Amino acid sequence: MANRTHHPSVFLVVITILLSIYQSEQRQSQQSLILLRIQQILNFPVESSNWNNNHLDFCKGDSNSSSLTVVCYEGNITQLHIIGDRTSPLAKNFSMDSFVKTLTRLPSLKVLTLASLGLWGSLPDKIARLQSLEIVNVSSNFLYGALPREVSSLSNLQTLILDNNLFSGRLPNWLDSLSTLSVLSLKNNVFNGSLPNSLGSLENLRILSLSHNHFFGLVPDLSQLTNLQVLELDDNAFGPQFPRLGNKLVTLVLRNNSFRTGIPAGLSSYFQLEQFDISSNTFVGPFQPSLLSLPSITYLNISGNRLTGKLFENLSCNTQLEVVDLSSNLLTGSVPKCLISNSSNRTVLYARNCLETRNQIQQPAPFCHTEALAVGILPDIKKKHKEKVSKVVISLGIVGGTLAGVALALLTFFLVRRGNSRRRMKNPPTRFISENAASGYTSKLLSEARYISQTKKFGTVGLPSYRSFSLEEIEAATNYFDTASLMSEDSYGKMYRGQLKNDSLVAIRCIKLKKRYSTQNFAHHIELISKLRHRHLVSALGHCFECSLEDSSVSKIFLVFEYIPNGTLRSWISDGDTMKSMSWIQRLGAVTGIAKGVQFLHTGIVPGVYSNNINAEDVLLDQNLVAKICSYNLPLLSNIGKIQHGSSSSGSKNSSMKKSVNYEDKSDIYDLGVILLELILGRAIKLSKDADAFKELLQATIVADEEARRSIIDPAIRKECLDQSLKTMMEICVRCLAKEPAERPSIEDVLWNLQFAAQVQDAWRGDSQSSEGGSPPALSPLQSRRVSFH
């Protein structure tokens, strides 16, 4: 029998195959351990609940679901997608650095999605070790700080999505090193500063979304980005020039910025444009009707600008238009028939222009002409005569025109006055009933509206005495309710800006009553309103009743308030207005003023005014940045219902004062906590779930180090606030936002802590000015204060 000989190469192949299988199994086992470690670091999210099975083969997709996906190639994990639903940060012992270090043990990762997992901390430079990364999505977490420079070494990166985090600082100049980048989305963060010119070099960029940040200044030249299809810059402070762009855009959103030039004529060649939104800016010049007929346009919004031009009924429109908003501009002419022919299939808004229509509220024709001149837009007037006219003829024309104008004005005035006299004799007849709100009521009424001792200390803040106004005074102050004086309007009435005979500005709320009441019905409420006067409230100066001559019932009430022209607190903090900025000490002063105003509402008058639903839009700042609450529960109109208010006067948030119940004052304490959040973070907080999430973030950073605390706050005050002052604000903010009302501090406790934070800051400023680096007090108010006023 012949001897068999085995060729050594056969054994080598077999050994190689067995070794490869062994290595593959070892690699899969190692990757499984890494994923289980990730599960542990993320505090065992429910999305990974089936990972408890140690026999899972991740590369076979045993663990995949809609919120968790693991994809492998040749035995290596190349994609990891985990999408959670956390609305609060992970536990205090979570370390973003350790987490990313664990991820780097998966070097073949190309796609990484970690959304809504509660991740918090700064993005560590170790991310650069994942050199294969092509897509990164870490949206809806609590990551903060600047982008580390090491990200620039991710040469394969194509998509970077950091939406809904707390990233801050300027966009770095090294972005152009990411030459393959096609999607850059940084929405809803706290980035600030101007954009780097390097953005214009990202030739592969298709989507650039920078919405809801604190960017400002000129938009760099993006005309060379021939692949750019989506540009979203809304809710920043970009401007004033319209950006230079390529014409391949599909979506262009510039809403709520500081643009104030004209719309370039080149937009008429944007044939792929589907969504165009430039609302809430100050764009001037002519509106181009050709935008209505762009071949791809479906959404067009130019509202809230100063665009001029005449529209015609026979203009053409794209039949695919779904939304058109032309409102609040200076447009004249007629509404195009093509917009209203299929009104059931689209939304068309064109109010507050000067259009010839009875639909939707329009301004009188002279308004658009006057406003256009005011912003420097010259109307298109054709010259009828080209010959020269001598100076003598011009002078005579001016003199003659002046005399004729005076005569015409006198005649018009006579006719208007005569017409008003006749009109007042027709139905419904009205008369003005004058009464004194400061006197003439019973002692019982005054005792019910008594002040406590603190009220005397606050004083009446230098305001003129509360009084009743005549209807003639109200008409004169508003120029007979001229539309130019109208500030706002809602279902309950109108708000006018007025000027009294002594030149003082006021805000006048006109309230039409659906039912007729006697003046006695309002006597008690008027008396209480006249006592609600405080340095930190937008206070009422007086009122006027307009009554019917038929039955002497009240048909209208005019409430006159002091006028505060310096804007809302939110506009100074989180609206991205680069012309408005508040220092840390100014923010401390503002929130302390708000707290004093709330304290007065609770304790300065009996019964107290509670549940005022105050937010940063309801606080106005005067010329000295003194905070004044402009919306609170006025004790009036109990049978009329809830009234909303314009930005320049006070009003009621509820129909009447509520009777005291347990913890009734604590709803206002929660609202104070939300305002504190905005002042600390420099961003608008409009949803309670956002407030709760940021409260958790503050709790985590309070027990962390100073660097962590400074990383999440508004960059505008990051360098100027003392850590002890900041930490005190964070601590009282978290306490105010407690879910259980009983756990929230009293208003006196809040005031004590705010004043402590201001004193610490002041002491540090004084020491630093008198000597080099004076050390601040180390005492924590929450530890040192043993008595709490609950």
Side-chain angles (χ1 to χ4, degrees), residues 675-686:
I675 293 175
L676 276 167
L677 265 183
E678 291 204 26
L679 291 169
I680 293 170
L681 301 177
R683 61 187 297 160
I685 309 293
K686 299 180 180 179

Side-chain angles (χ1 to χ4, degrees), residues 251-289:
T251 297
L252 176 57
V253 182
L254 306 179
R255 180 181 62 249
N256 197 19
N257 276 283
S258 300
F259 295 107
R260 53 179 183 271
T261 58
I263 302 177
L267 280 178
S268 58
S269 64
Y270 283 39
F271 299 131
Q272 299 179 35
L273 191 62
E274 297 178 5
Q275 181 178 355
F276 181 57
D277 188 347
I278 60 170
S279 59
S280 301
N281 282 280
T282 319
F283 282 109
V284 298
F287 166 66
Q288 302 165 26

Side-chain angles (χ1 to χ4, degrees), residues 516-533:
R516 299 297 178 89
Y517 301 92
S518 67
T519 55
Q520 286 77 12
N521 288 102
F522 299 106
H524 178 71
H525 299 299
I526 290 297
E527 177 65 23
L528 292 178
I529 289 173
S530 70
K531 302 301 183 184
L532 280 171
R533 317 190 90 193

Side-chain angles (χ1 to χ4, degrees), residues 97-98 100-102 104 123-130 148 150:
D97 190 78
S98 299
V100 172
K101 185 177 180 180
T102 303
T104 59
L123 191 63
D125 52 14
K126 294 182 179 65
I127 192 75
R129 298 179 188 176
L130 294 169
E150 287 73 15

Side-chain angles (χ1 to χ4, degrees), residues 373-446:
L373 292 177
V375 295
I377 306 170
L378 297 178
D380 184 18
I381 302 176
K382 295 182 179 180
K383 295 183 179 180
K384 296 182 179 180
H385 304 284
K386 294 184 179 181
E387 62 272 15
K388 295 182 179 180
V389 182
S390 68
K391 294 182 180 179
V392 176
V393 175
I394 293 177
S395 300
L396 291 174
I398 292 175
V399 173
T402 302
L403 293 175
V406 171
L408 181 61
L410 291 173
L411 179 61
T412 303
F413 177 77
F414 173 76
L415 293 175
V416 169
R417 293 291 292 182
R418 187 176 179 182
N420 286 341
S421 299
R422 291 180 177 178
R423 188 161 51 250
R424 290 179 180 179
M425 295 302 294
K426 296 180 181 180
N427 292 328
T430 60
R431 64 185 176 91
F432 172 72
I433 296 179
S434 176
E435 76 302 306
N436 193 331
S439 62
Y441 294 117
T442 64
S443 58
K444 179 179 181 295
L445 181 61
L446 293 175

